[in-house]
Amino acid sequence: MNNVLEFIRECQENVFSGIGITSQDAEKLFNIPDENVPDLAKAANQITRDFNGKKVDVEQLNNIKKNACSEDCSFCGQSAFFDTGIETYQLPSAEEVVIKAKKAKDEGAESYCLVAAWREPSTRDFDKVCNIIKEINDKVGINVECSLGFLTPEQAKKLKELNVKRYNHNLETSKSKFSEICTTHTYDDRLKTLQIVRNAGLELCTGGIIGLGETRKQRIELANELAALYPEEVTINILVPVPGTPLELQVKLENSEIVRMFSVIRFLLPESVIKISGGRETNLTDSGEQLLQSGANGIITSGYLTMGGNESEKDFNMIKKIGLEA
Ligand code: SF4
């Protein structure tokens, strides 16, 4: 047995025994030779199955406020800084959202995430969103999650009172890369909202986007930063360059690099949901089959914030085909 395989096995044993791996181990795992990536993926898959069984968390999104965001995140087609031609709309009525949430539930989604493209909700918009959540709770009965940008402690408390299960707020990229990606707010602003969410007792979903031109070292940095937050869910997007944004010509990541990312995060966070998010269908030729056997145990189905995706039926069939359950 060579040293790399021995190291992967030692790390895996440390995860199984509850000791876990260090950030240095994570870096070393990430940097294994290409020929050992399948071994890393296999070990990550064993951790996933041991801690989480065969279950795949399937979620649908509803972009309840689209485009014209005041922030300048350079990957984002919804920033008002870039001319992307993406449609713009404001908050829909609660009735419209309830219909979509019902459909998501009927299609088998376990959770329904309300996402809004703004820096933070105004008081008026926040009240409207709260009303939408109440209506979904009363009329649908699906786990409601939210991604509404920066929150005050009072707003986070209100969401908790409304039984919102989980709040999403991504780090986007590593701390050392962040200022190249966004200048209208800071990485620490994002950390502050994550802390507010935790303090309110909401479950935490956080993650980022890979393929922004960050180095591998910065991907490792992001993985370790996410692990330090110990979120209930990690959501990893793979960049789909949006015409009109500064990253429109960004080159795709190698598939093995994506597998490394998901596998190492699984070693770091054995119990969390690790979700393949935007870019799954575009960047991966197999819609995520391999990643669901390399550490990931969640997907978003039926499209994303500004682009379409697989129909839920196709995704559920894929999950079944690889012997997993939704
Ligand atoms: S990522 Fe979020 S905060 Fe940044 S521009 Fe897009 S919608 Fe706005």
Side-chain angles (χ1 to χ4, degrees), residues 20-21 24 43 52 55 80 105 109 137 159 233 279 286 301:
I21 62 164
Q24 291 80 12
N52 302 279
K55 178 103 182 86
K105 189 182 177 190
N137 285 343
L159 294 179
E233 179 176 333
D286 66 357
T301 190

Side-chain angles (χ1 to χ4, degrees), residues 69-73 75-80 116-119 172 182 185 190:
C69 177
S70 63
E71 306 306 286
D72 71 349
C73 309
F75 54 84
C76 182
Q78 299 195 85
S79 165
W118 55 42
R119 178 188 167 92
E172 309 301 16
C182 176
H185 60 266
R190 288 192 165 263

